[in-house]
Amino acid sequence: MTTPVSYQRHDDIGVIAIDNPPVNALGQAVRQGLMDAVMRGSEDSEARVLVLVARGRTFIAGADIREFGKPPQAPILPEVIATFEASGKPIVAVLHGTALGGGLEVALGCQLRIALPGTKVGLPEVKLGLLPGAGGTQRLPRLTGVEAALDLITSGRFADAEEALALGIVDAVVDADDPLEVGLAVARDVLAGKLTPRVTGELPPPSADPAAIERYRTQLKSEVPELYSPFRCVEAIALSSEGSLVDGLRRERELFFACMDSPQRAGLIHAFFAARAPHKVPDAGEAAALTRLALLGTHPLFERLRSKAERAGIELTAAPDANTQACLVTPGADSACPEACLKIAVLTPEAAQELDTAAADLALVLADSSMAELVALHADAEQQQAVANALKALRLPVVVSRQGSLLASLAKAAGDDAANPRAAMEAASLMLAERDWAYRESDIDLLAIEALGYPRHLGGPHRQASQAVGGERVS
């Protein structure tokens, strides 16, 4: 079995390389491999500097989603980072692609951070109802100051390489393509005394900024008063100015577990998994994407699709011919779709409430242009998958369904009970699951969240309705 982390020495430089495709996620084997590699580097008498790189298209993109909801396995990430930070030999981390969540926290435990152009860094745990639980709320403010840390952590947004450099998150941006080549060059600069490594946790605590703390609390109360984890993030960041790193890390961990126990975290994780592959039609196999589509009529969506077509390798036309594979047709469009083509009716949720199953092979239902539902009427699984693949290639998020529109039914329920649209969608979701229109019950939740504004932290109307039946409803 190939280990996901290796150690090799290049002259007097030890190289720790992560190779855990596709995104070098921090699963247990990677965490253990990092611990073992740092120990090997520390014990290697001929290595004077260590370099941390990741193979493939990205640095560490975060936690391993296969471990979500499971008991933690040793070593846990805070232990790994503490080992990095305590290394007697400086560790140079070379970031490329993305360094997110635990990936950035690992980099913060290194003594120098170098980014390649195009790198993005961030601590997006708040989007899953959590806070950075491996030192992010304590080490990041020591580099950026309190206000910048509040901005990044409470929003979960990403910073590009140039912003990360300006904020002090990385020490340099090097215009090169090979992380290993960059790491070795930087390590030689360290050995030559041209660069001075720093232990992030030994930097002075950031200056207290009570005005920024209060400003962010006020902003969160105004924008997301119902959410739990953003306020815990603020509390943790405030602690970075008040005591030792050890005290801050201890309290950060307590707040992390408080978020873990929050029902909102479970709801957000459910929504996260719901969005993983909603365009997949079960049992459809590996259907290729269609490459020749006609857009008949006018619709704001069409301009969006045209802007993505060249990069997707898809030919879009307003005049179908013998090579056209499918037509997207808006109501009242004059042009005719050739009989051999798949006909896809483009409809609003209102128009899709009573689908004319004789008029099209599929229906593309949109509340706006953010997420669409692709309903199979007469198309088989492979045909529906081929259309869904094409829409995904054109950067249109799509949920697949069958027989009738989930989105239209949810929208109608919400509109019929404007005083309590959330409860109406929850009741409708149970009915939709019984009708078997959804390939996955989570697809009902995803459409309600993305297209109709159902609260993400509740996980979706079907999840809520199902929990209510079991007496576990979350508010």
Side-chain angles (χ1 to χ4, degrees), residues 313-366:
I314 293 177
E315 178 185 320
L316 299 180
T317 180
D321 57 26
N323 294 318
T324 303
Q325 297 164 300
C327 300
L328 277 69
V329 186
T330 61
D334 294 332
S335 301
C337 180
E339 186 173 344
C341 292
L342 288 170
K343 184 174 181 181
I344 307 164
V346 181
L347 303 170
T348 64
E350 293 75 20
Q353 287 172 14
E354 298 293 336
L355 283 173
D356 181 357
T357 57
D361 299 296
L362 302 109
L364 186 65
V365 186
L366 302 99

Side-chain angles (χ1 to χ4, degrees), residues 366-436:
L366 302 99
D368 53 31
S369 295
S370 61
M371 175 161 279
E373 178 190 12
L374 183 66
V375 188
L377 302 175
H378 301 291
D380 62 28
E382 288 75 17
Q383 290 171 326
Q384 184 181 24
Q385 189 64 74
V387 175
N389 289 346
L391 294 173
K392 188 170 187 291
L394 290 165
R395 297 294 187 267
L396 177 66
V398 63
V399 173
V400 290
S401 62
R402 57 195 168 193
Q403 301 178 48
S405 172
L406 307 171
L407 181 53
S409 298
L410 290 167
K412 183 177 188 305
D416 288 346
D417 189 357
N420 198 350
R422 183 179 129 191
M425 281 192 276
E426 290 165 7
S429 72
L430 296 176
M431 172 271 294
L432 290 170
E434 290 178 1
R435 286 184 179 177
D436 203 31

Side-chain angles (χ1 to χ4, degrees), residues 164-224:
L165 178 62
L167 292 174
I169 300 172
V170 300
D171 298 284
V173 177
V174 176
D175 190 2
D177 297 324
D178 186 346
L180 176 58
E181 179 184 310
V182 170
L184 294 173
V186 171
R188 293 187 190 102
D189 284 344
V190 171
L191 292 173
K194 297 178 181 179
L195 291 171
T196 302
R198 303 179 300 166
V199 177
T200 308
E202 294 178 0
L203 295 175
S207 300
D209 195 343
I213 295 291
E214 186 55 35
R215 187 165 60 253
Y216 272 83
R217 280 201 182 107
T218 300
Q219 179 179 327
L220 292 170
K221 287 177 183 177
S222 172
E223 296 177 355
V224 287

Side-chain angles (χ1 to χ4, degrees), residues 59-80:
F59 190 67
I60 305 168
D64 190 334
I65 63 172
R66 293 171 296 184
E67 295 184 356
F68 284 8
K70 297 179 180 179
Q73 299 181 60
I76 60 173
L77 190 57
E79 295 170 345
V80 176

Side-chain angles (χ1 to χ4, degrees), residues 66-155:
R66 293 171 296 184
E67 295 184 356
F68 284 8
K70 297 179 180 179
Q73 299 181 60
I76 60 173
L77 190 57
E79 295 170 345
V80 176
I81 295 169
T83 300
F84 270 63
E85 196 163 63
S87 170
K89 299 173 182 179
I91 304 175
V92 178
V94 183
L95 316 182
H96 75 288
T98 56
L100 304 176
L104 179 56
E105 288 178 301
V106 167
L108 296 177
C110 298
Q111 289 75 27
L112 277 171
R113 286 160 298 283
I114 309 299
L116 303 191
T119 302
K120 295 186 184 298
V121 304
L123 294 170
E125 288 87 347
V126 72
K127 296 181 179 180
L128 294 179
L130 297 170
L131 57 74
T137 68
Q138 303 304 300
R139 292 187 178 94
L140 186 67
R142 282 170 162 77
L143 296 170
T144 67
V146 165
E147 184 161 15
L150 286 165
D151 172 33
L152 290 170
I153 293 175
T154 63
S155 68

